[in-house]
Amino acid sequence: MSESVTMLIDAANGGDAEALRRLFARVYDELKRLAHIQLGRAGGQTLNTTGLVHEAYLKLAQPGEGGLTDREHFFSLAARAMRQIVIDRARAQIAEKRGGAQRDLVDIDAAFDVASGELGPEALLRLNEALDHFAAEEPRLARLIELRFFAGLGLDQIAVLQQVSERTLNRDWRQAKVRLYLALNPD
Amino acid sequence: MAEPHRLHELFDSAIDLPPAERAAFVAAACGDDPALRAALERWLRADASLGTFLETPPPLIAEARPENVADAAPRSFGPWRVLRSLGVGGMGEVWLAERADGEYEQRVAIKQVAWPTPGLLQRFRRERQILARLEHPNIAHLIDGGVDANGSPYFAMEYIEGAPVTAYAQAHALSVRACVALLLQICEGVRYAHQNLIVHRDLKPSNILVSADGVPKLLDFGIAKILAASEIDSAPATGTGQHLLTLDYAAPEQYRGAVVTTATDVYALGVVLHELLTGLRPFARAGEGAARMQAVLHDEPALPSAGVEAKFADAAARRRALRGDLDSILLTALARDPQRRYASAEAFAADLRNYLEGRPVGARGHGNFYTLRKFAARNRAGVAAAVVAAVALVAGLAVALAQRQAALRERDEAERQTAVAEAVKNFLNEDVIRAASPFLKTSLKDVTVREAIERGAGKIDGRFKGQPAVELETRIELGALFLQIGEPDRAEAQYRAAVQLGSASVDVPAAKAQLARYSLAQALAQRSKNDEAKTLLEATDKLAQAQDERDPRLSSTRNSAWGTYYYHLGNPLKALPYYERSVADFIRWQPDNELVLASRMINLASVKLTTGDIEAGERGVREAMASLERSDGKQTFGYGMALSLLGRMRFFRHDYAGAEQLCTQAATMLRAILGGDVAFVADAVTILSRLQTATGRYAEAADSARLVYEAYLSSIGATGFNTQVYRMFLGHAEYLAGQRELGLKTSEEGLVALSAIVPPDHISLQLMKFHLASDYLDFDASRSTAARTIVDALDVDALQRISPEGDWPARLAALHGQIAFYDGDRERARGLLEPAIATMTQMNSARFEIERAQRTLQKLDDRGR
């Protein structure tokens, strides 16, 4: 490793867009690698996303360096990277289902089975898109969704990470869910 | 659209209300604003119909089945069948389990580590045996430990049905005296563990369960060390290893990431007692998070008696009972500076007993210990705030993790295994053993030798069903590798398994069975299990007589085992002929294996060196090095050992710079090859430490000595001879580095431990006793009697053999001179000291020894005037 994650985070915080890009790439690669290992270890069944993010942190962060802001930044980046991995995977699944035909369009009629809590690939892509729009409006709530949903962190963990009370965060979370849900299901 | 801000606020308020009251709230809040009302109602409708939307992370791969995403408890861990989950603890999930094979009935609590840290597996394996030896009525016994189907380590602990000590005290409304008595029992367990050199590091009520009959049991002893990310105690608290630290009971040095000692456990015990007696932990009123951390780090706790919770029915009586003695005891246990605390659980217990029995309490009367004051301003911001938040984050993450991955389906591989057994043996021989052998390879590309061997060892179990001879052979090979990398305890385990195979199966040839027994005897001897080694050697000699001569391998192993036995018994002269025969046998057995032969020769040379024959030793080492150079072995383990030996000889000649250069080179090389500070690296570092003391670099010397001590502690355990010898040396180095009391204490503890391992006149003790006597004399007159007892029993010839430095007569004379000074025999003192100083100066002896003699002489001069 030529440059430490902490150095990259510092540079990114200082507005260095290239550092941010490299940082993201590093986190993304590391998560993919760890996911691969984890799947191998668990017999190819499921991923423990929280464990994955933490493991990536262990791997990437230099021990003894970095304070709280760095950690929050790291987890935000990890959540972003997790999201990217999930969405890439969903795209690949859709492409596969269509006999390998390369189609970027999302099937609008895809069932959006909210109640199950398990989103299919099409639903995931719609959610991803809606989250982009939502982020323009409410960046804080959108980040919360990334941390909670894509990185699988608990609200209690996020509360510690962002140094806000769990009560506040719980309200934010209910609102974030409602607003994203309504964006996906305009009545 | 209604004004967003107002909508957000109303939504937040509405969802806090019970559903039945929401309609009225909406009507009242948006009375004159239909758009706002419509929007709010729409949000609340959506909120009600969300279900689990966004609550479950997305399945990441196509094959993921919904039923696998939920928590899937593993069905078994090794021989343990899971009965049910007991909940999630600080390190991960805990299960109740029982033996699956029905061998005998036993219930255990299985703990699995949720957050693996780097090196966890290695530390786990190393500590497991130490912890398994802890047997005490107040400690939950570690029964088993292993690695599950996913490769994660787990512990099986004695299952305790009981309540956390705080809950127990509350439920039984324990009186002040009953609380103190209960804590005394807890101290008993902690004291026992401390005696075995194990610090808990994470004592808290949830780790102290009290059974229905009132017996407290300590859980998770030593586990925190295994879980820590760093090998060193002093990992900074920001490091990833601290995530299991329980903030409420952690001592200030744990927040700081400073060295953890037995006093750290004393602090936690103090917090627990404080909570039992007052209902609150110290600093509980200092707020949360960063504010409390500031208080812990910078303030002394308030008087416990002043903080008794009103919830106690007897609050007023309690306050009175705490005032005075218990206040002092608690504040001593809770001192910020570990040095000012009770040094051990034993000292803490003794004072508690004083209190119960109405004797004067030691904690009082040390007015300088404490100014019993309320805390000062504690709003100092700084790095500490970030530290506490970071620690809390990771702690939170660890606790929240309950998701587990489904265990691998059990597969019936017995048949397949039989078929591939031969291939596996080849695999182990070719891929693991050959790749790992320190003599054949230098450090591997990605794995250290140690890791490769560990990997090999992990692959054996269950792999050779029905092929005991193959398994025996493989285990002997692995055992030899473990010996080569300085891990005799693991070698012992392999050899034991091999001996078992040899005696349990008729398919194993007699010579192989005997080979296993001799190999085991060798490992036992290296671990100073002298009696067991001797019994085994004699019994095997009777069995093996006929085979011995015809089988050079067996003969070589036999001679090597006997040699090791005598060597570790402190009799290198008797060991020497065995080592010589072993080398001769080896040449008969493998005439062309120059690399391994070189290592045997180096071994032999080092024994010769110990007998005091430097010339022969040096010759042997140089021959072996030449042989290694011929066979392209300059980057091997054996070569590193040779460098280390040459460095040792330079040291004996008091060529400190030359010794340092060689030993540093050796340590660096061996560390890279072996992957850690194991015993063989320690060999080189020992000399570094000695030359550092001799040249006045005492802080460095103490660091080196500590490294050596810890390397032995982890490889041969607390009962290993070398462990305690180097504990004594550590004490000496600590003394020189300015920690005089601590140093003497460390040395004395080592000496006491050694007396349980070897006879008091053991030759190897001479050197360490000499250092201790010298320190005693330097300390003050009060220790001169103890010093005299030691010095009288020292033998100049033995010292010269152990450490052939040539200056022993002068050094002993210097000690006698100092004793004479304390005796008031000034003439004799001067007569001994003056020539001793001249000789030691001329021979470039250790600087501090010369200075000590000079100081005494100075005192003589001063008084003479």
Side-chain angles (χ1 to χ4, degrees), chain A residues 41-42 45 47 54 58 71 86 89 93 114-115 117-118 138 148-149 157 160 171 173-174 177 179 187, chain B residues 8 16 42-43 47 50 52-56 59-60 62 115-116 150 238 240 393-394 397 400 405-406:
Chain A
R41 204 158 58 200
Q45 285 164 347
L47 275 179
H54 189 85
L58 276 183
R71 274 181 198 238
V86 168
R89 178 72 202 172
Q93 280 175 293
V114 167
E118 291 286 343
E138 291 280 5
R148 174 83 187 89
F149 180 67
Q157 300 166 342
V160 179
R171 284 175 170 171
W173 174 237
R174 299 247 322 242
K177 280 196 298 183
R179 293 176 66 183
D187 37 23
Chain B
H8 299 168
D16 280 347
R42 183 165 169 262
W43 278 30
D47 182 62
L50 276 174
T52 59
F53 177 58
L54 295 184
E55 291 294 346
T56 317
L60 284 194
W115 298 100
N150 290 334
T238 38
T240 45
L393 159 70
V394 203
L397 287 175
Q405 301 173 11

Short mmCIF file of all heavy atoms in Angstrom, two decimals, chain A residues 41-42 45 47 54 58 71 86 89 93 114-115 117-118 138 148-149 157 160 171 173-174 177 179 187, chain B residues 8 16 42-43 47 50 52-56 59-60 62 115-116 150 238 240 393-394 397 400 405-406:
data_model
loop_
_atom_site.label_atom_id
_atom_site.label_comp_id
_atom_site.label_asym_id
_atom_site.label_seq_id
_atom_site.Cartn_x
_atom_site.Cartn_y
_atom_site.Cartn_z
N ARG A 41 -15.86 -18.76 2.32
CA ARG A 41 -15.80 -19.31 3.65
C ARG A 41 -17.15 -19.85 4.09
O ARG A 41 -17.26 -20.86 4.72
CB ARG A 41 -15.34 -18.21 4.61
CG ARG A 41 -14.69 -18.69 5.84
CD ARG A 41 -13.83 -17.61 6.45
NE ARG A 41 -14.59 -16.41 6.75
CZ ARG A 41 -14.05 -15.21 6.92
NH1 ARG A 41 -12.77 -15.05 6.78
NH2 ARG A 41 -14.79 -14.17 7.20
N ALA A 42 -18.21 -19.15 3.75
CA ALA A 42 -19.53 -19.51 4.26
C ALA A 42 -20.24 -20.49 3.36
O ALA A 42 -21.41 -20.73 3.52
CB ALA A 42 -20.36 -18.25 4.44
N GLN A 45 -23.27 -18.79 0.61
CA GLN A 45 -24.67 -18.57 0.88
C GLN A 45 -25.01 -17.10 1.05
O GLN A 45 -25.69 -16.51 0.22
CB GLN A 45 -25.10 -19.37 2.10
CG GLN A 45 -25.21 -20.84 1.73
CD GLN A 45 -25.25 -21.72 2.96
OE1 GLN A 45 -24.95 -21.29 4.04
NE2 GLN A 45 -25.62 -22.96 2.75
N LEU A 47 -23.92 -13.04 2.67
CA LEU A 47 -22.88 -12.16 3.16
C LEU A 47 -23.35 -11.51 4.43
O LEU A 47 -24.50 -11.12 4.56
CB LEU A 47 -22.61 -11.06 2.13
CG LEU A 47 -21.64 -11.42 1.04
CD1 LEU A 47 -21.53 -10.26 0.11
CD2 LEU A 47 -20.30 -11.77 1.62
N HIS A 54 -16.83 -3.92 8.54
CA HIS A 54 -15.87 -3.80 9.65
C HIS A 54 -14.53 -4.41 9.26
O HIS A 54 -13.47 -3.88 9.56
CB HIS A 54 -16.41 -4.48 10.89
CG HIS A 54 -15.59 -4.20 12.09
ND1 HIS A 54 -15.77 -3.06 12.85
CD2 HIS A 54 -14.54 -4.86 12.62
CE1 HIS A 54 -14.87 -3.05 13.81
NE2 HIS A 54 -14.12 -4.14 13.70
N LEU A 58 -10.82 -2.82 9.20
CA LEU A 58 -9.62 -3.39 9.82
C LEU A 58 -8.48 -3.45 8.83
O LEU A 58 -7.33 -3.19 9.14
CB LEU A 58 -9.90 -4.82 10.28
CG LEU A 58 -10.56 -5.02 11.62
CD1 LEU A 58 -10.67 -6.50 11.91
CD2 LEU A 58 -9.75 -4.36 12.71
N ARG A 71 -13.33 7.85 10.87
CA ARG A 71 -14.14 6.64 10.91
C ARG A 71 -15.49 6.86 10.27
O ARG A 71 -15.97 6.05 9.50
CB ARG A 71 -14.32 6.17 12.35
CG ARG A 71 -13.20 5.31 12.78
CD ARG A 71 -13.41 4.83 14.17
NE ARG A 71 -12.10 4.38 14.66
CZ ARG A 71 -11.87 3.15 15.09
NH1 ARG A 71 -12.83 2.29 15.16
NH2 ARG A 71 -10.67 2.79 15.47
N VAL A 86 -23.89 -3.86 -4.61
CA VAL A 86 -25.24 -4.42 -4.70
C VAL A 86 -25.86 -4.08 -6.06
O VAL A 86 -26.46 -4.93 -6.73
CB VAL A 86 -26.11 -3.86 -3.55
CG1 VAL A 86 -27.58 -4.18 -3.79
CG2 VAL A 86 -25.65 -4.45 -2.23
N ARG A 89 -24.31 -5.86 -8.96
CA ARG A 89 -24.77 -7.24 -8.94
C ARG A 89 -26.19 -7.34 -9.50
O ARG A 89 -26.50 -8.24 -10.29
CB ARG A 89 -24.72 -7.76 -7.50
CG ARG A 89 -25.20 -9.16 -7.30
CD ARG A 89 -24.23 -10.14 -7.86
NE ARG A 89 -24.91 -11.39 -8.12
CZ ARG A 89 -24.37 -12.41 -8.75
NH1 ARG A 89 -23.13 -12.34 -9.18
NH2 ARG A 89 -25.04 -13.52 -8.95
N GLN A 93 -27.49 -9.44 -12.68
CA GLN A 93 -28.56 -10.44 -12.59
C GLN A 93 -29.61 -10.19 -13.66
O GLN A 93 -30.10 -11.12 -14.29
CB GLN A 93 -29.22 -10.37 -11.21
CG GLN A 93 -28.43 -11.07 -10.14
CD GLN A 93 -29.06 -10.86 -8.78
OE1 GLN A 93 -29.09 -9.74 -8.27
NE2 GLN A 93 -29.57 -11.91 -8.21
N VAL A 114 -42.75 -4.73 -1.42
CA VAL A 114 -42.28 -4.02 -0.25
C VAL A 114 -42.39 -4.88 1.00
O VAL A 114 -41.49 -4.94 1.83
CB VAL A 114 -43.08 -2.72 -0.07
CG1 VAL A 114 -42.83 -2.13 1.30
CG2 VAL A 114 -42.69 -1.76 -1.15
N ALA A 115 -43.51 -5.56 1.12
CA ALA A 115 -43.81 -6.24 2.37
C ALA A 115 -42.76 -7.30 2.72
O ALA A 115 -42.46 -7.52 3.88
CB ALA A 115 -45.18 -6.88 2.30
N GLY A 117 -39.64 -7.27 2.31
CA GLY A 117 -38.36 -6.77 2.80
C GLY A 117 -37.20 -7.23 1.94
O GLY A 117 -36.08 -6.79 2.10
N GLU A 118 -37.47 -8.12 1.03
CA GLU A 118 -36.41 -8.62 0.16
C GLU A 118 -36.62 -8.01 -1.21
O GLU A 118 -37.63 -8.25 -1.86
CB GLU A 118 -36.51 -10.15 0.03
CG GLU A 118 -36.17 -10.87 1.29
CD GLU A 118 -34.68 -10.85 1.55
OE1 GLU A 118 -33.92 -10.57 0.61
OE2 GLU A 118 -34.30 -11.10 2.70
N GLU A 138 -32.17 15.69 0.22
CA GLU A 138 -31.89 15.42 1.64
C GLU A 138 -30.63 14.58 1.78
O GLU A 138 -30.70 13.38 2.05
CB GLU A 138 -33.08 14.63 2.25
CG GLU A 138 -34.34 15.41 2.39
CD GLU A 138 -34.33 16.32 3.63
OE1 GLU A 138 -33.29 16.39 4.30
OE2 GLU A 138 -35.38 16.95 3.90
N ARG A 148 -27.61 2.41 6.79
CA ARG A 148 -28.50 1.46 7.43
C ARG A 148 -28.81 0.29 6.50
O ARG A 148 -28.72 -0.87 6.88
CB ARG A 148 -29.79 2.18 7.83
CG ARG A 148 -30.88 1.30 8.38
CD ARG A 148 -30.65 1.02 9.85
NE ARG A 148 -31.59 0.04 10.35
CZ ARG A 148 -31.36 -1.28 10.32
NH1 ARG A 148 -30.23 -1.76 9.84
NH2 ARG A 148 -32.24 -2.12 10.78
N PHE A 149 -29.19 0.62 5.27
CA PHE A 149 -29.67 -0.43 4.37
C PHE A 149 -28.51 -1.11 3.63
O PHE A 149 -28.39 -2.32 3.67
CB PHE A 149 -30.64 0.19 3.36
CG PHE A 149 -31.20 -0.80 2.37
CD1 PHE A 149 -32.05 -1.82 2.78
CD2 PHE A 149 -30.87 -0.73 1.02
CE1 PHE A 149 -32.56 -2.74 1.88
CE2 PHE A 149 -31.37 -1.65 0.11
CZ PHE A 149 -32.21 -2.65 0.54
N GLN A 157 -25.48 1.83 16.15
CA GLN A 157 -24.11 2.00 15.69
C GLN A 157 -23.93 3.35 14.97
O GLN A 157 -22.95 4.05 15.17
CB GLN A 157 -23.71 0.88 14.73
CG GLN A 157 -23.81 -0.49 15.38
CD GLN A 157 -23.75 -1.62 14.38
OE1 GLN A 157 -23.97 -1.41 13.19
NE2 GLN A 157 -23.47 -2.81 14.87
N VAL A 160 -23.71 6.27 17.31
CA VAL A 160 -22.38 6.48 17.88
C VAL A 160 -21.47 7.11 16.84
O VAL A 160 -20.70 8.03 17.11
CB VAL A 160 -21.79 5.14 18.35
CG1 VAL A 160 -20.40 5.36 18.92
CG2 VAL A 160 -22.69 4.49 19.38
N ARG A 171 -36.09 8.95 14.49
CA ARG A 171 -37.04 9.81 13.76
C ARG A 171 -36.58 10.02 12.33
O ARG A 171 -37.35 9.93 11.39
CB ARG A 171 -37.12 11.17 14.44
CG ARG A 171 -37.91 11.17 15.71
CD ARG A 171 -37.78 12.52 16.30
NE ARG A 171 -38.69 12.70 17.40
CZ ARG A 171 -38.65 13.75 18.22
NH1 ARG A 171 -37.77 14.70 18.00
NH2 ARG A 171 -39.50 13.86 19.20
N TRP A 173 -34.80 8.19 10.56
CA TRP A 173 -34.90 6.94 9.82
C TRP A 173 -36.35 6.71 9.36
O TRP A 173 -36.60 6.34 8.23
CB TRP A 173 -34.40 5.80 10.69
CG TRP A 173 -34.55 4.41 10.15
CD1 TRP A 173 -35.19 3.38 10.72
CD2 TRP A 173 -34.03 3.93 8.90
NE1 TRP A 173 -35.11 2.28 9.93
CE2 TRP A 173 -34.40 2.58 8.80
CE3 TRP A 173 -33.30 4.50 7.87
CZ2 TRP A 173 -34.07 1.79 7.72
CZ3 TRP A 173 -32.96 3.72 6.78
CH2 TRP A 173 -33.34 2.37 6.71
N ARG A 174 -37.31 6.94 10.28
CA ARG A 174 -38.72 6.74 9.89
C ARG A 174 -39.06 7.68 8.76
O ARG A 174 -39.75 7.32 7.80
CB ARG A 174 -39.64 6.99 11.09
CG ARG A 174 -39.36 6.04 12.24
CD ARG A 174 -40.39 5.04 12.60
NE ARG A 174 -41.79 5.26 12.60
CZ ARG A 174 -42.58 5.18 13.68
NH1 ARG A 174 -42.03 5.00 14.87
NH2 ARG A 174 -43.88 5.27 13.58
N LYS A 177 -37.42 6.61 5.43
CA LYS A 177 -38.10 5.46 4.82
C LYS A 177 -39.39 5.90 4.14
O LYS A 177 -39.68 5.53 3.01
CB LYS A 177 -38.43 4.41 5.90
CG LYS A 177 -37.26 3.55 6.29
CD LYS A 177 -37.72 2.31 7.04
CE LYS A 177 -38.41 2.66 8.35
NZ LYS A 177 -38.79 1.49 9.13
N ARG A 179 -40.26 8.81 3.05
CA ARG A 179 -40.11 9.67 1.88
C ARG A 179 -39.58 8.89 0.68
O ARG A 179 -40.00 9.11 -0.45
CB ARG A 179 -39.21 10.85 2.23
CG ARG A 179 -39.92 11.74 3.25
CD ARG A 179 -39.09 12.85 3.73
NE ARG A 179 -38.78 13.82 2.67
CZ ARG A 179 -37.99 14.88 2.86
NH1 ARG A 179 -37.43 15.07 4.04
NH2 ARG A 179 -37.76 15.71 1.87
N ASP A 187 -48.78 7.85 -5.16
CA ASP A 187 -50.15 7.36 -5.32
C ASP A 187 -51.03 8.29 -6.15
O ASP A 187 -50.54 9.06 -6.96
CB ASP A 187 -50.81 7.13 -3.95
CG ASP A 187 -50.42 8.18 -2.93
OD1 ASP A 187 -50.01 9.29 -3.36
OD2 ASP A 187 -50.47 7.90 -1.71
N HIS B 8 -42.07 18.15 8.41
CA HIS B 8 -41.11 17.26 9.07
C HIS B 8 -41.35 17.25 10.58
O HIS B 8 -41.38 16.21 11.21
CB HIS B 8 -39.66 17.72 8.79
CG HIS B 8 -39.32 17.70 7.34
ND1 HIS B 8 -38.18 18.28 6.84
CD2 HIS B 8 -39.95 17.17 6.29
CE1 HIS B 8 -38.15 18.12 5.53
NE2 HIS B 8 -39.21 17.45 5.18
N ASP B 16 -44.38 9.85 17.42
CA ASP B 16 -44.09 9.57 18.83
C ASP B 16 -45.36 9.24 19.61
O ASP B 16 -45.30 8.73 20.72
CB ASP B 16 -43.41 10.77 19.49
CG ASP B 16 -41.92 10.79 19.15
OD1 ASP B 16 -41.43 9.77 18.63
OD2 ASP B 16 -41.28 11.83 19.38
N ARG B 42 -50.69 11.53 4.40
CA ARG B 42 -50.08 10.63 3.40
C ARG B 42 -48.81 10.00 3.99
O ARG B 42 -48.57 8.80 3.85
CB ARG B 42 -49.77 11.45 2.15
CG ARG B 42 -49.19 10.65 1.00
CD ARG B 42 -49.27 11.45 -0.29
NE ARG B 42 -48.51 10.82 -1.34
CZ ARG B 42 -47.25 11.18 -1.69
NH1 ARG B 42 -46.66 12.18 -1.05
NH2 ARG B 42 -46.63 10.56 -2.66
N TRP B 43 -48.02 10.82 4.65
CA TRP B 43 -46.79 10.31 5.26
C TRP B 43 -47.11 9.27 6.33
O TRP B 43 -46.46 8.23 6.42
CB TRP B 43 -46.01 11.47 5.91
CG TRP B 43 -45.17 12.23 4.93
CD1 TRP B 43 -45.42 12.42 3.61
CD2 TRP B 43 -43.95 12.91 5.19
NE1 TRP B 43 -44.45 13.17 3.04
CE2 TRP B 43 -43.53 13.50 3.99
CE3 TRP B 43 -43.19 13.10 6.34
CZ2 TRP B 43 -42.37 14.25 3.90
CZ3 TRP B 43 -42.03 13.85 6.26
CH2 TRP B 43 -41.62 14.42 5.04
N ASP B 47 -46.04 5.45 6.48
CA ASP B 47 -45.30 4.94 7.63
C ASP B 47 -45.93 3.66 8.16
O ASP B 47 -45.23 2.71 8.52
CB ASP B 47 -45.27 6.00 8.74
CG ASP B 47 -44.46 5.53 9.95
OD1 ASP B 47 -43.25 5.29 9.79
OD2 ASP B 47 -45.04 5.38 11.04
N LEU B 50 -45.26 0.53 5.73
CA LEU B 50 -43.89 0.28 5.27
C LEU B 50 -43.45 -1.18 5.43
O LEU B 50 -42.61 -1.66 4.66
CB LEU B 50 -42.90 1.14 6.07
CG LEU B 50 -42.72 2.56 5.59
CD1 LEU B 50 -41.83 3.31 6.56
CD2 LEU B 50 -42.10 2.55 4.21
N THR B 52 -41.35 -4.10 6.35
CA THR B 52 -39.91 -4.19 6.64
C THR B 52 -39.09 -3.48 5.58
O THR B 52 -37.91 -3.76 5.42
CB THR B 52 -39.47 -5.66 6.72
OG1 THR B 52 -39.77 -6.27 5.46
CG2 THR B 52 -40.17 -6.38 7.84
N PHE B 53 -39.74 -2.56 4.87
CA PHE B 53 -39.04 -1.83 3.82
C PHE B 53 -37.72 -1.26 4.34
O PHE B 53 -37.69 -0.56 5.36
CB PHE B 53 -39.96 -0.71 3.33
CG PHE B 53 -39.35 0.19 2.28
CD1 PHE B 53 -38.88 -0.34 1.08
CD2 PHE B 53 -39.26 1.56 2.50
CE1 PHE B 53 -38.33 0.49 0.12
CE2 PHE B 53 -38.72 2.40 1.54
CZ PHE B 53 -38.24 1.86 0.34
N LEU B 54 -36.64 -1.58 3.67
CA LEU B 54 -35.29 -1.10 4.00
C LEU B 54 -34.72 -1.64 5.32
O LEU B 54 -33.64 -1.23 5.73
CB LEU B 54 -35.23 0.44 4.03
CG LEU B 54 -35.48 1.18 2.73
CD1 LEU B 54 -35.28 2.68 2.95
CD2 LEU B 54 -34.54 0.70 1.62
N GLU B 55 -35.45 -2.54 5.94
CA GLU B 55 -34.95 -3.01 7.23
C GLU B 55 -33.95 -4.16 7.11
O GLU B 55 -33.18 -4.42 8.01
CB GLU B 55 -36.10 -3.42 8.16
CG GLU B 55 -36.95 -2.26 8.65
CD GLU B 55 -36.20 -1.30 9.56
OE1 GLU B 55 -35.10 -1.66 10.03
OE2 GLU B 55 -36.71 -0.19 9.80
N THR B 56 -34.03 -4.88 5.99
CA THR B 56 -33.09 -5.99 5.80
C THR B 56 -32.13 -5.63 4.69
O THR B 56 -32.57 -5.25 3.61
CB THR B 56 -33.85 -7.27 5.39
OG1 THR B 56 -35.01 -7.37 6.21
CG2 THR B 56 -32.98 -8.48 5.57
N PRO B 59 -29.98 -8.93 -0.38
CA PRO B 59 -29.19 -10.14 -0.61
C PRO B 59 -28.17 -9.82 -1.69
O PRO B 59 -28.48 -9.19 -2.68
CB PRO B 59 -30.21 -11.14 -1.12
CG PRO B 59 -31.32 -10.31 -1.65
CD PRO B 59 -31.34 -9.03 -0.90
N LEU B 60 -26.96 -10.21 -1.46
CA LEU B 60 -25.91 -9.74 -2.35
C LEU B 60 -25.67 -10.63 -3.54
O LEU B 60 -25.07 -10.24 -4.50
CB LEU B 60 -24.62 -9.54 -1.58
CG LEU B 60 -24.60 -8.30 -0.72
CD1 LEU B 60 -23.20 -8.01 -0.26
CD2 LEU B 60 -25.16 -7.10 -1.47
N ALA B 62 -27.12 -13.92 -6.20
CA ALA B 62 -28.33 -14.55 -6.73
C ALA B 62 -28.71 -15.78 -5.93
O ALA B 62 -29.88 -16.02 -5.68
CB ALA B 62 -28.10 -14.93 -8.19
N TRP B 115 -15.97 -10.58 15.84
CA TRP B 115 -15.11 -9.67 15.06
C TRP B 115 -13.69 -10.18 15.09
O TRP B 115 -12.94 -9.87 16.01
CB TRP B 115 -15.15 -8.27 15.67
CG TRP B 115 -16.48 -7.67 15.63
CD1 TRP B 115 -17.38 -7.60 16.65
CD2 TRP B 115 -17.10 -7.06 14.52
NE1 TRP B 115 -18.49 -6.97 16.23
CE2 TRP B 115 -18.37 -6.62 14.93
CE3 TRP B 115 -16.69 -6.83 13.20
CZ2 TRP B 115 -19.23 -5.97 14.06
CZ3 TRP B 115 -17.56 -6.19 12.35
CH2 TRP B 115 -18.81 -5.78 12.78
N PRO B 116 -13.31 -10.94 14.12
CA PRO B 116 -11.95 -11.44 14.13
C PRO B 116 -10.96 -10.28 14.00
O PRO B 116 -11.23 -9.34 13.25
CB PRO B 116 -11.87 -12.34 12.90
CG PRO B 116 -13.23 -12.39 12.32
CD PRO B 116 -14.04 -11.28 12.89
N ASN B 150 -16.36 -22.75 9.67
CA ASN B 150 -16.01 -21.57 8.89
C ASN B 150 -14.61 -21.05 9.19
O ASN B 150 -14.20 -20.02 8.68
CB ASN B 150 -17.00 -20.43 9.17
CG ASN B 150 -18.37 -20.74 8.60
OD1 ASN B 150 -18.46 -21.50 7.64
ND2 ASN B 150 -19.38 -20.19 9.20
N THR B 238 -7.10 3.86 20.25
CA THR B 238 -7.76 4.09 18.98
C THR B 238 -7.64 2.88 18.08
O THR B 238 -8.32 2.76 17.09
CB THR B 238 -7.12 5.27 18.24
OG1 THR B 238 -5.72 5.20 18.46
CG2 THR B 238 -7.68 6.58 18.71
N THR B 240 -7.79 -0.91 16.58
CA THR B 240 -9.00 -1.69 16.38
C THR B 240 -9.18 -2.76 17.44
O THR B 240 -10.22 -3.34 17.54
CB THR B 240 -8.93 -2.36 15.01
OG1 THR B 240 -7.63 -2.90 14.87
CG2 THR B 240 -9.20 -1.37 13.93
N LEU B 393 -17.79 3.41 19.57
CA LEU B 393 -18.30 2.98 18.27
C LEU B 393 -18.03 1.50 18.08
O LEU B 393 -18.92 0.72 17.79
CB LEU B 393 -17.60 3.76 17.14
CG LEU B 393 -17.67 3.04 15.79
CD1 LEU B 393 -19.08 3.05 15.25
CD2 LEU B 393 -16.71 3.64 14.79
N VAL B 394 -16.79 1.13 18.28
CA VAL B 394 -16.46 -0.25 17.97
C VAL B 394 -17.15 -1.18 18.96
O VAL B 394 -17.60 -2.26 18.60
CB VAL B 394 -14.94 -0.46 17.93
CG1 VAL B 394 -14.63 -1.65 17.09
CG2 VAL B 394 -14.26 0.75 17.34
N LEU B 397 -20.61 -1.65 17.76
CA LEU B 397 -20.68 -2.54 16.60
C LEU B 397 -20.59 -3.99 17.03
O LEU B 397 -21.34 -4.84 16.58
CB LEU B 397 -19.53 -2.23 15.64
CG LEU B 397 -19.66 -0.94 14.85
CD1 LEU B 397 -18.40 -0.71 14.03
CD2 LEU B 397 -20.86 -0.99 13.94
N ALA B 400 -23.77 -5.30 18.63
CA ALA B 400 -24.93 -5.41 17.75
C ALA B 400 -24.85 -6.61 16.82
O ALA B 400 -25.82 -7.04 16.24
CB ALA B 400 -25.06 -4.13 16.93
N GLN B 405 -23.40 -16.76 10.09
CA GLN B 405 -23.50 -17.44 8.81
C GLN B 405 -23.82 -18.91 9.05
O GLN B 405 -23.42 -19.48 10.05
CB GLN B 405 -22.19 -17.30 8.09
CG GLN B 405 -21.88 -15.84 7.90
CD GLN B 405 -20.50 -15.65 7.33
OE1 GLN B 405 -19.87 -16.59 6.92
NE2 GLN B 405 -20.08 -14.42 7.31
N ALA B 406 -24.55 -19.45 8.14
CA ALA B 406 -24.91 -20.86 8.30
C ALA B 406 -23.64 -21.71 8.28
O ALA B 406 -22.72 -21.46 7.52
CB ALA B 406 -25.81 -21.27 7.16
#
